[in-house]
Amino acid sequence: MGLEKEKSDCSIIMDEDEFNRSIEPILSKKGKVYTAEPDRDPNDINAHLKVNFGDVIAEPISTHSFDKVWIGSHAAFELVKFLFYRLLTTLLAVPMAFILGLVFGVLSCIHIWLVMPVIQSLMMLLPSVQVVWRSLTDMFITPLFHSMGKSLSSIQVKSTEY
């Protein structure tokens, strides 16, 4: 509104390590060495879920809110996203892991002990079925089509226009 002389960019980073370190006593930090956490999504299965404040809310140049409102809404967004994710995973992660473990265990068992033995049995039986099928077609189907071909080969079709 005329009072803001310079635009300041701000960035709010809510890293779990920084958050946890900030609440620990200062004296206990001397002996600890923090290492990077292992990547829990090494194959980038959930790359589409990496949503930041700028991906959801953006103000064009022509309409800007007050800087304090922008900073506060950014902080509120990140905090609520962080807390609700933690709350929902606390409530749902173990039951969903149990259910998905059960489903994949059953599917693996069915595939290993039912599907693959049936497929291997069929693969073992197919050569003998092929011999029987070939002899049946040689005895019945081939003579039938040979005789039909010979009898129908004498038919001539002529088309005339009126």
Side-chain angles (χ1 to χ4, degrees), residues 4 12 33 37 49 59 61 68 94 97 119 134 150:
E4 299 151 354
I12 297 174
V33 175
E37 286 191 29
L49 293 177
E59 291 181 337
I61 295 174
K68 302 292 183 189
V94 174
I119 289 174
R134 182 170 287 155
K150 284 185 180 181

Side-chain angles (χ1 to χ4, degrees), residues 28 38 116:
S28 67
M116 287 311 292

Side-chain angles (χ1 to χ4, degrees), residues 10 12 39 47 112 117 144 162:
C10 67
I12 297 174
D39 187 11
I112 291 168
L144 174 69
Y162 293 105

Side-chain angles (χ1 to χ4, degrees), residues 5-95:
K5 303 232 180 200
E6 61 186 53
K7 184 180 177 185
S8 63
D9 286 337
C10 67
S11 176
I12 297 174
I13 300 171
M14 180 161 267
D15 189 19
E16 183 181 344
D17 289 339
E18 292 296 324
F19 181 74
N20 288 338
R21 278 188 233 158
S22 66
I23 60 174
E24 291 178 359
I26 295 172
L27 296 176
S28 67
K29 286 186 180 181
K30 289 184 178 179
K32 291 189 177 183
V33 175
Y34 291 99
T35 59
E37 286 191 29
D39 187 11
R40 292 184 182 178
D41 189 12
N43 298 327
D44 262 354
I45 294 172
N46 294 315
H48 60 285
L49 293 177
K50 295 176 183 172
V51 178
N52 293 323
F53 182 72
D55 299 331
V56 178
I57 299 173
E59 291 181 337
I61 295 174
S62 61
T63 55
H64 275 212
S65 62
F66 295 110
D67 286 340
K68 302 292 183 189
V69 173
W70 182 256
I71 293 168
S73 60
H74 190 178
F77 175 84
E78 294 294 333
L79 182 66
V80 169
K81 182 179 86 166
F82 176 76
L83 291 176
F84 268 91
Y85 178 76
R86 288 293 174 104
L87 176 71
L88 291 175
T89 54
T90 301
L91 296 175
L92 298 176
V94 174

Side-chain angles (χ1 to χ4, degrees), residues 127-140:
S128 58
V129 169
Q130 182 182 7
V131 169
V132 171
W133 181 256
R134 182 170 287 155
S135 64
L136 287 175
T137 49
D138 286 345
M139 286 183 350
F140 296 109

